[in-house]
DNA sequence: ACCCAGGATGTAA
DNA sequence: TTACATCATGGG
């Protein structure tokens, strides 16, 4: 595997990968949300990607192109313009100071979709546990550098899972959503990656065709795996933040409020929403 | 026992 | 269009 070193500023890889935006990453030696190895891995296009940070250096190992590696961990984006916009237009200094080291990830669309279908009415650590259990049970693990790395199943592999299998993993009523979504992908030969070439509204409409995917889940998949930084997932935290800090953008419905945020929050509304979400969750922003 | 979680769906008004 | 009950499960 090829090793690369990237010089970065205002980037915290551990925080970026453990903050709850992605469930597709793992610590090399254990569980993501527990203290442990500072090496992280995921699989992209079937290939392992290993990432480690040492101060202002990020060391990556993979057989992927440099462009793909950078996009996967969000090194290619202009965060500064969003931070500046929040500071200048919304006076959110505290948020931008404490959370400007957060990057936006770009996950594989399929694992991302399934994880966010599982996310409804769930706490983040439990979503991660479901993700890992699905990966362990139905995916093909791979030994890399002496570590057995778990890998989320492909749509074909996950087709082996029955609704009862998934209920046994604790998915509850979401098991049916996952089974039907996997069926639809396989039967219609859908490539989720192709949604990236569509306009935001159209890509979102396509995603909502999947059972168990509504406005919020669709926006998460668009933001965290398909490069749509205009997607603004309105979850319980974001709604509280809007009510408290952006009441003038609150419009009653998801559609209208999200539209207001897209037009007024920042150049990349999805990135700004990430800052606000994590500030609120960490108690750095009143709710 | 009770409440809630990075919500979505089906049904009724 | 909008309002509301329902959907599993585990952790506080």
């Amino acid at each position: 595997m090829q090793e690369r070193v990237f010089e970065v500023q205002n980037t915290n890889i551990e925080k970026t990968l453990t903050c709850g935006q992605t469930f597709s990453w793992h610590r090399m030696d254990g569980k993501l949300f527990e203290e442990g190895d500072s090496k992280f891995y995921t699989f992209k296009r079937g290939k392992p990607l290993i990432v480690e940070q040492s101060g202002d250096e990020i060391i990556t190992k993979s057989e992927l192109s440099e462009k793909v590696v950078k996009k996967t961990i969000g090194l290619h984006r202009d965060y500064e313009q969003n931070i500046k916009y929040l500071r200048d237009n919304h006076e959110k200094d505290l948020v931008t100071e404490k959370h400007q080291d957060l990057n936006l990830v770009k996950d594989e669309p399929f694992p991302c979709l399934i994880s966010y279908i599982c996310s409804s009415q769930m706490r983040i650590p439990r979503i991660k546990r479901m993700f890992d259990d699905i990966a362990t049970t139905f995916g093909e693990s791979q030994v890399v550098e002496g570590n057995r790395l778990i890998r989320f199943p492909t749509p074909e592999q996950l087709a082996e899972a029955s609704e009862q299998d998934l209920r046994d993993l604790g998915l509850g009523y979401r098991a049916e959503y996952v089974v039907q979504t996997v069926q639809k992908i396989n039967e219609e030969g859908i490539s989720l990656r192709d949604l990236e070439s569509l306009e935001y509204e159209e890509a979102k409409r396509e995603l909502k065709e999947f059972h168990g995917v509504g406005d919020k889940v669709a926006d998460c998949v668009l933001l965290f795996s398909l490069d749509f930084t205009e997607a603004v997932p309105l979850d319980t935290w974001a709604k509280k933040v809007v009510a408290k800090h952006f009441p003038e953008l609150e419009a009653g419905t998801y559609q209208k409020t999200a539209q207001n945020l897209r037009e007024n929050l920042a150049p990349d509304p999805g990135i700004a929403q990430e800052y606000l979400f994590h500030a609120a969750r960490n108690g750095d922003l009143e709710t």
Side-chain angles (χ1 to χ4, degrees):
Chain A
M1 289 196 292
Q2 185 176 353
E3 181 172 312
R4 294 191 181 86
V5 178
F6 301 99
E7 293 287 335
V8 295
Q9 296 179 342
N10 294 331
T11 300
N12 185 330
I13 283 296
E14 177 159 8
K15 183 173 176 179
T16 295
L17 300 180
T18 61
C19 68
Q21 64 176 313
T22 172
F23 304 94
S24 300
W25 286 82
H26 315 270
R27 285 188 200 274
M28 286 292 279
D29 67 346
K31 298 187 175 170
L32 188 67
F33 293 140
E34 295 175 8
E35 297 292 323
D37 206 330
S38 58
K39 267 184 171 174
F40 300 85
Y41 73 90
T42 190
F43 282 87
K44 190 95 172 186
R45 304 182 185 184
K47 297 174 181 174
L49 169 59
I50 299 171
V51 175
E52 182 177 24
Q53 180 166 19
S54 175
D56 290 335
E57 289 186 344
I58 292 176
I59 303 98
T60 69
K61 291 182 193 169
S62 75
E63 294 176 355
L64 299 161
S65 71
E66 177 170 333
K67 185 177 177 184
V68 170
V69 170
K70 291 181 77 170
K71 290 182 82 166
T72 301
I73 52 180
L75 292 180
H76 64 307
R77 299 188 183 283
D78 185 350
Y79 299 97
E80 189 55 41
Q81 62 169 343
N82 291 288
I83 291 163
K84 185 177 189 331
Y85 193 97
L86 279 173
R87 190 169 52 224
D88 295 348
N89 297 63
H90 300 302
E91 299 179 349
K92 299 294 184 248
D93 285 344
L94 178 63
V95 176
T96 54
E97 277 181 27
K98 280 198 74 167
H99 297 284
Q100 59 184 328
D101 55 356
L102 197 56
N103 275 17
L104 178 66
V105 299
K106 186 177 183 203
D107 286 343
E108 289 271 279
F110 179 64
C112 183
L113 173 61
I114 300 301
S115 65
Y116 275 98
I117 285 176
C118 291
S119 77
S120 89
Q121 293 296 97
M122 278 290 168
R123 286 182 172 80
I124 288 174
R126 279 204 60 204
I127 304 168
K128 181 54 177 165
R129 193 192 314 159
M130 292 190 287
F131 185 96
D132 289 357
D133 285 346
I134 293 173
T136 303
T137 307
F138 297 101
E140 280 181 20
S141 64
Q142 190 172 324
V143 175
V144 179
E145 295 186 344
N147 297 81
R148 179 162 288 282
L149 309 185
I150 61 173
R151 179 178 162 191
F152 200 80
T154 63
E156 293 78 13
Q157 291 169 335
L158 195 49
E160 296 298 315
S162 69
E163 180 179 337
Q164 189 57 47
D165 289 337
L166 296 174
R167 281 180 180 268
D168 291 343
L169 295 182
L171 269 70
Y173 62 88
R174 304 158 197 79
E176 181 191 353
Y177 296 160
V178 171
V179 167
Q180 291 194 26
T181 293
V182 170
Q183 270 182 7
K184 182 176 168 68
I185 290 174
N186 285 326
E187 287 174 4
E188 299 180 20
I190 295 172
S191 169
L192 294 172
R193 198 183 304 281
D194 293 345
L195 297 176
E196 209 169 312
S197 62
L198 304 178
E199 294 297 314
Y200 167 75
E201 295 291 349
E202 195 178 344
K204 183 168 181 177
R205 194 160 45 242
E206 292 290 325
L207 281 174
K208 286 174 70 176
E209 289 297 311
F210 291 109
H211 199 47
V213 179
D215 281 313
K216 189 269 175 184
V217 168
D219 276 329
C220 284
V221 176
L222 291 169
L223 178 61
F224 300 129
S225 75
L226 293 171
D227 229 0
F228 289 93
T229 56
E230 63 264 58
V232 188
L234 279 184
D235 55 64
T236 51
W237 287 103
K239 286 176 182 170
K240 282 192 244 182
V241 170
V242 171
K244 182 83 175 180
H245 299 274
F246 303 91
E248 71 280 8
L249 300 179
E250 170 63 56
T253 68
Y254 188 107
Q255 294 276 1
K256 293 178 184 173
T257 303
Q259 181 66 27
N260 283 343
L261 291 169
R262 267 195 291 288
E263 292 170 358
N264 299 291
L265 191 59
D268 297 304
I271 291 177
Q273 187 270 3
E274 270 296 287
Y275 293 144
L276 298 170
F277 171 86
H278 294 288
R281 260 193 94 222
N282 293 319
D284 297 321
L285 192 61
E286 273 185 78
T287 58

